[in-house]
Amino acid sequence: MEASAKLPVVVPKGVGGMDNDDVAPAGGKKQAAAGRWGFVQFFFVLAVVFCVLLYAPRVLVLSPYGYSIDVGLFAPTPTTATASSVPQRVAGGNAVALDLDNQVRSPCSSMRDHTICCDRSSVHTDVCFMAGDVRTDAASLSLLLFPPHQQAQNGTSSEEDKEERVRPYPRKWERFIMDKVPEVRLRVAAPRRPDGEREEEEHRCDVRHDAPLLVMSAGGYTGNLFHAFNDGFLPSWLTVQHLRRRVVLGVVSYNPWWAGMFGEVISGLSDHPVVDLLHGTRTHCFPGAIVGTRYHGILIVDPARLRDNKTIVDFHQMLADAYEKPPRETARPAQQQDLRDAEQRRRRRPRLGIVSRKGTRVIENQAAVARLASSVGFDVDILETANGLPLSAWYASLRACDALVGVHGADLTKFLFLRPGRASLTQIAPLGVSPIAREDFGEPAARMGLAYEQYEVRAGESSLARRYAPGDVVLTDPEAAKRDKGGWNLVARVYLGGQNVTLDLARFRQTLARMHAHAMRQRRRQERL
Ligand SMILES: *[C@@H]1O[C@H](CO)[C@@H](O)[C@H](O)[C@H]1NC(C)=O
Ligand SMILES: *[C@@H]1O[C@H](CO)[C@@H](O)[C@H](O)[C@H]1NC(C)=O
Ligand SMILES: *[C@@H]1O[C@H](CO)[C@@H](O)[C@H](O)[C@H]1NC(C)=O
């Protein structure tokens, strides 16, 4: 399913509605590249052109099924530990241990209890950790760290008047969107006052959690599937996967659409109900907190930065577990079913999914491409974007695919559902989109162990050949055109927003043949196992 299809917010065409916090504007991810061109109107272009022009057609559909999950007020009250509960580092290091920071060589990986530690060393993201008795103050979007009793009695501690502020979204370098992410304040609670009234008592726990808090954002650009994963779920997973779902997600810019659309992924990150930090009014108490998320690169997990060496394949496995969850209760019939499935898989031809976009970056001769794929030996599955199907249905479709082909676009984020080490992905890069395509999906897919190929569209295959004269630099040298004729504006308006493709069937047949050969090799390998 296309993420943008589910946005509950209607974006007026040509206006953008970007000042609405609830709008999760699509796109904008290419700003790093745009920065190189240094264009004054970048933000205008980003907001209006990219968002509206490219994604508006898919942004206008309402969620037909959004189901609600427990939020804030309905969160259960877990075990009532003692009021002074402090993080326990359990000897032997099982999942209960509150080693909040899983990143190697982080200044916070050896932080002391009852302290706040912030790692602001990344250009992408700030992450702060609070070890100890953490309580929310909903009114000021603050997290207060209460010192243990004996320390509090000694009067002022050095940490006390320090306040840390974090916007929990990993695009620190992009002012435009960060300004829309609410700022969370972290501080050590004031000591007891002489008159005996204590701040601690003003922050009695309404809900006491026995797992630490992760503050993340459901806003920013996350109405777009690429951003939902790249800015939201993957960074959150990087930050808390070592806690094995013993973590409470405290979400800013929470909205029911997000919770419904990504219910399985959310439950793959956390065993607990989500807390809506902005709209809740109760005081939640945690044995620790992480505010903000780690970020390793575009859809990238860098195992060298994680203490447990996890990879993108582990992230895929989390998704697979989440989407395949309902455990089979009757073992025997299920086994027979498995055998039948395996038998069927052996007999049928390899399956190719074709991602079918609407509006822009359309494969104009898609029907001919599908026939070609069939003649090459594939069973073909046309996967329409914005078809209103839940992500679980997409998961099931892609799980069954041996190969996936699609033109560059946010839907290709679903490559995360393909079977690592088995499936292949071919991304069709329209004119002028080649570097972006490789960076967004090519490299991440290869890292996940997919056989990756990028089909570079030539001028004659692009609909731009109908709009520009044969010798025009827009057609002959897109990189030069971007440099000289309009930078990101040109990319957004022309290369991404105004281009369809008609694939050269003779050339594309070679790509399909390679994908088919790969699928057959994988099949033989599986049969030997
Ligand atoms: C507080 O005072 C007690 C007793 O005077 C002392 O043992 C303890 O180390 C002090 N704690 C801090 C954080 O200064
Ligand atoms: C992670 O990799 C490093 C270097 O290869 C190795 O020394 C370490 O034991 C690994 N850790 C885990 C938890 O697998
Ligand atoms: C691309 O194809 C779509 C669907 O057929 C069409 O609506 C759109 O106008 C086409 N765009 C261009 C630039 O030809």
Side-chain angles (χ1 to χ4, degrees), residues 143-147 160 187-192 199-200:
L143 299 179
L144 303 176
L145 180 67
F146 284 86
E160 173 183 305
R187 60 187 166 83
V188 174
R192 294 140 198 254
E199 186 161 359
E200 186 170 355

Side-chain angles (χ1 to χ4, degrees), residues 357-362 364 463-464 466-467 497-500:
R357 293 173 52 92
K358 297 179 183 67
T360 173
R361 282 167 277 149
V362 169
E364 291 183 341
S463 67
L464 296 176
R466 301 197 289 260
R467 189 167 144 194
Q499 182 174 201
N500 290 341

Side-chain angles (χ1 to χ4, degrees), residues 371-451:
R371 281 194 302 275
L372 177 67
S374 181
S375 78
V376 164
F378 281 111
D379 281 346
V380 177
D381 193 3
I382 304 286
L383 305 165
E384 305 246 347
T385 63
N387 58 2
L389 291 179
L391 270 182
S392 56
W394 275 93
Y395 174 82
S397 295
L398 291 200
R399 187 82 193 159
C401 282
D402 301 286
L404 185 71
V405 59
V407 184
H408 173 76
D411 292 277
L412 290 191
T413 310
K414 292 163 186 159
F415 83 82
L416 290 166
F417 295 162
L418 292 170
R419 283 171 298 175
R422 300 269 299 275
S424 67
L425 171 69
T426 288
Q427 181 174 204
I428 297 164
L431 281 190
V433 178
S434 181
I436 297 169
R438 199 163 289 284
E439 190 179 17
D440 284 356
F441 303 115
E443 295 190 2
R447 279 176 181 250
M448 206 176 83
L450 303 179

